[in-house]
Amino acid sequence: MQFTESCRELDEKWVDTLLNNPKIVGTKGKLGRNNAIYTLSLAYYASGVDQDECFDVMDEFNSNLKMPLKNQDVVRTVKSVYSGHFPGANKEKVLLLLENWGSESLSEDQLFTQKFK
């Protein structure tokens, strides 16, 4: 599923909020690095971004984390997303990630300007 240029998940505020947080870690009982990379990759996939470009962004995001994942985990996650089984990010997972790792207090209207599927 692809969005038009004017309607892309990756242009949403929640994407920037997660991409710009180097403090996301893996913690038992909390959505962490793997889920952040998976959810962000879904936004890139749904927005029609090429898999290689998505990997480059996720690789840079992972490299900026205080406790990065192994490169093979990032590769595996992006490949899984681009298998096409899911059309885009899940709003409930996005909200959980932001609850755990969001650095700003933003309303849903500020985080999501488009209707979520």
Side-chain angles (χ1 to χ4, degrees):
M1 164 162 82
Q2 289 186 312
F3 291 90
T4 63
E5 281 297 310
S6 63
C7 181
R8 299 184 330 157
E9 282 188 30
L10 69 91
D11 294 331
E12 295 284 23
K13 180 66 179 166
W14 67 264
V15 173
D16 284 338
T17 300
L18 291 176
L19 280 176
N20 293 312
N21 186 350
K23 297 178 182 175
I24 299 172
V25 295
T27 306
K28 188 171 178 124
K30 276 187 175 180
L31 298 182
R33 303 167 298 180
N34 281 326
N35 282 288
I37 290 172
Y38 189 79
T39 300
L40 288 164
S41 295
L42 283 168
Y44 275 74
Y45 172 74
S47 299
V49 174
D50 177 79
Q51 182 175 343
D52 290 336
E53 185 179 341
C54 177
F55 173 75
D56 290 344
V57 173
M58 294 308 119
D59 184 48
E60 183 177 342
F61 168 70
N62 185 56
S63 295
N64 290 329
L65 292 174
K66 301 242 186 260
M67 297 177 63
L69 295 167
K70 293 178 183 173
N71 185 59
Q72 67 191 29
D73 292 332
V74 177
V75 170
R76 184 177 25 240
T77 299
V78 172
K79 280 185 179 181
S80 175
V81 165
Y82 276 77
S83 69
H85 291 107
F86 301 98
N90 177 283
K91 186 175 185 177
E92 288 75 32
K93 286 224 167 113
V94 170
L95 290 172
L96 284 171
L97 283 163
L98 291 170
E99 182 181 308
N100 294 329
W101 308 110
S103 56
E104 311 173 53
S105 288
L106 298 171
S107 70
E108 281 193 38
D109 288 341
Q110 292 170 306
L111 293 166
F112 308 103
T113 59
Q114 305 166 54
K115 188 170 189 146
F116 234 92
K117 302 245 180 221

